Amino acid sequence: MISNQVLQTTLDGLKAISRVDLCVLDTEGIMLATTFPEAEEFRDSVLSFVGSPADSQVVSGCQFYKVFDDHQLEYILLANGNSDDVHMVGRMAAFQLQNLLVAYKERFDKDNFIKNLLLDNLLLVDIYNRAKKLHIDTEARRVVFILEVSHEKDNTSLESVRALFSSRSGDFITAVDEKSIIVVKEIGPQEGYPEMEKIAEAILDALGEEKKKEGLIAYGTIVGEIKEVSRSYKEARMALNVGKIFFAERNVIAYSSLGIGRLIYQLPIPLCKMFIREIFDGKSPDDFDEETLVTINKFFENSLNVSETSRQLYIHRNTLVYRLDKLQKSTGLDLRVFEDAITFKIALMVVKYMKYMENQEY
């Protein structure tokens, strides 16, 4: 359960303090971490010790100890030397490994609980009972972030994010699929959405400059009870998907900022096709030439302001009016009229949504 890297770091630290060489092997005699390569010579003795009833013994000037995980033999620890001081260091090292096993097991239990909580796999009574057993605050304010990385099984990104929140016991970092890293963040009573934006940016920064460019992070709304964490997760997941469709230029997406895109994302495709047929009479915005599409988008960007749009497009005001008149004749919608502009904007978003969903099927 404990990684070999953690075992090696632990042994190196213990040796630096005690100056005693140590080695950890599994029950099959395979070396997992060591501070003295000569420990390989004791492999046969380790296999014999595994089958013996003793919890510790001295073999050829080396102290052997058994390390258990809930009464199950997990590791064999070697301390090089047979003096009383070495024996004491060996016992301390075995105790340290025992505590590491307990800590990692508790982390695994919490990780398993958080995953089931996010995926709505727990009954309400089970949520509160298990949270109590795992000493997880049930009434803390929390929000869920989902970080999507471009490379599957990217363990370095996961560890980078874990390191960012390592000092906060109320935060949980996990994953439910190959490409997403989930952060269940506990927040203070005074923290709001401006702080959530800063946290999202900090998570992206933790990936490093190269991966940050490819990363995409979304977060849900702030919830006040643990039973609502799954809702924040679903909101973050929706924000991630909607962001890819309508906010491709952003790498941080908040559920609260999705606007009408959130509604369009939940529409059935047949209804979308019917809407587009009614608005464009069988045509599609894809049929418009590039000049017309640029004009439309710029007009919306400038809140239907004719003067500002013509200035930014470097065209005469009359030219813009001519283009808008031409568009009105072909679609029946006058973008200078607010109601028509809203209809046209929604239609463009619906088309973008349909194209995205069509690509997802392949």
Side-chain angles (χ1 to χ4, degrees):
M1 189 183 296
I2 305 174
S3 69
N4 292 357
Q5 183 180 358
V6 171
L7 289 173
Q8 187 63 55
T9 301
T10 302
L11 296 194
D12 290 340
L14 289 169
K15 181 184 177 180
I17 297 169
S18 66
R19 299 182 182 178
V20 173
D21 277 311
L22 301 162
C23 177
V24 176
L25 303 96
D26 65 15
T27 54
E28 296 179 356
I30 297 173
M31 189 181 297
L32 304 177
T34 186
T35 63
F36 66 115
E38 298 83 3
E40 185 68 36
E41 301 172 7
F42 294 97
R43 188 171 186 275
D44 291 338
S45 300
V46 167
L47 293 175
S48 299
F49 178 57
V50 168
S52 74
D55 287 342
S56 66
Q57 68 181 43
V58 179
V59 178
S60 302
C62 190
Q63 313 253 5
F64 285 47
Y65 304 88
K66 289 179 179 177
V67 180
F68 294 90
D69 178 17
D70 197 16
H71 306 294
Q72 177 72 34
L73 182 60
E74 189 73 26
Y75 300 126
I76 303 298
L77 172 71
L78 275 57
N80 194 20
N82 57 8
S83 67
D84 290 342
D85 287 344
V86 172
H87 177 63
M88 180 180 68
V89 170
R91 289 186 63 186
M92 291 175 64
F95 181 73
Q96 176 70 9
L97 291 176
Q98 190 83 48
N99 285 336
L100 276 175
L101 283 169
V102 172
Y104 269 72
K105 190 172 183 179
E106 182 177 313
R107 181 170 127 178
F108 174 78
D109 287 344
K110 285 186 177 180
D111 186 69
N112 188 48
F113 169 71
I114 293 297
K115 284 180 179 177
N116 283 307
L117 177 66
L118 294 172
L119 298 174
D120 270 338
N121 290 337
L122 297 171
L123 297 174
L124 187 60
V125 66
D126 291 334
I127 291 174
Y128 286 93
N129 287 340
R130 290 188 62 182
K132 185 177 180 180
K133 288 180 182 178
L134 294 169
H135 308 290
I136 297 174
D137 189 350
T138 58
E139 296 185 352
R141 297 176 77 233
R142 294 183 174 91
V143 65
V144 177
F145 295 84
I146 300 180
L147 170 66
E148 187 169 279
V149 291
S150 57
H151 304 291
E152 294 187 3
K153 299 181 180 178
D154 188 356
N155 291 325
T156 56
S157 295
L158 180 60
E159 291 306 315
S160 297
V161 175
R162 277 185 173 148
L164 180 64
F165 299 102
S166 60
S167 61
R168 298 288 300 271
S169 60
D171 299 334
F172 303 99
I173 294 84
T174 188
V176 296
D177 57 43
E178 298 291 353
K179 294 186 69 175
S180 300
I181 297 169
I182 301 166
V183 178
V184 181
K185 183 81 178 68
E186 184 177 316
I187 60 175
Q190 304 302 320
E191 291 182 293
Y193 292 106
E195 286 78 16
M196 298 308 100
E197 284 288 318
K198 293 176 183 177
I199 292 170
E201 290 290 351
I203 293 172
L204 285 174
D205 289 340
L207 301 179
E209 285 301 318
E210 287 302 315
K211 290 182 180 178
K212 178 182 178 180
K213 296 175 184 176
E214 301 174 352
L216 178 63
I217 189 166
Y219 59 93
T221 55
I222 297 170
V223 296
E225 288 190 54
I226 197 164
K227 66 180 181 180
E228 297 176 323
V229 167
S230 63
R231 173 166 63 81
S232 186
Y233 167 70
K234 291 170 186 172
E235 291 170 348
R237 180 64 69 184
M238 179 183 284
L240 197 70
N241 294 332
V242 174
K244 291 176 185 176
I245 303 171
F246 302 119
F247 308 103
E249 72 283 357
R250 299 188 203 170
N251 59 0
V252 177
I253 310 292
Y255 177 78
S256 58
S257 70
L258 297 180
I260 200 169
R262 187 172 72 203
L263 297 176
I264 293 172
Y265 182 74
Q266 297 177 80
L267 292 175
I269 295 298
L271 185 62
C272 292
K273 290 180 178 179
M274 186 188 303
F275 175 70
I276 294 301
R277 280 198 302 269
E278 291 174 356
I279 297 300
F280 295 110
D281 193 24
K283 298 178 184 178
S284 169
D286 293 339
D287 298 332
F288 298 141
D289 57 61
E290 185 67 23
E291 182 183 79
T292 302
L293 287 173
V294 170
T295 301
I296 293 167
N297 289 326
K298 187 61 69 175
F299 193 53
F300 284 136
E301 283 177 25
N302 290 292
S303 303
L304 315 184
N305 187 306
V306 174
S307 299
E308 184 60 25
T309 302
S310 59
R311 187 185 69 80
Q312 291 189 19
L313 289 174
Y314 302 103
I315 60 176
H316 194 276
R317 178 189 173 93
N318 291 343
T319 304
L320 176 59
V321 171
Y322 169 76
R323 291 181 184 177
L324 294 175
D325 287 340
K326 183 180 176 183
L327 185 65
Q328 182 183 1
K329 288 178 182 177
S330 65
T331 64
L333 297 172
D334 185 355
L335 298 194
R336 290 159 293 190
V337 177
F338 182 75
E339 187 175 337
D340 285 358
I342 288 292
T343 302
F344 201 97
K345 179 66 175 177
I346 292 173
L348 289 177
M349 294 178 71
V350 167
V351 168
K352 187 178 282 190
Y353 164 62
M354 289 194 304
K355 288 177 68 176
Y356 175 83
M357 296 306 293
E358 194 176 292
N359 292 333
Q360 293 298 104
E361 294 175 1
Y362 295 104

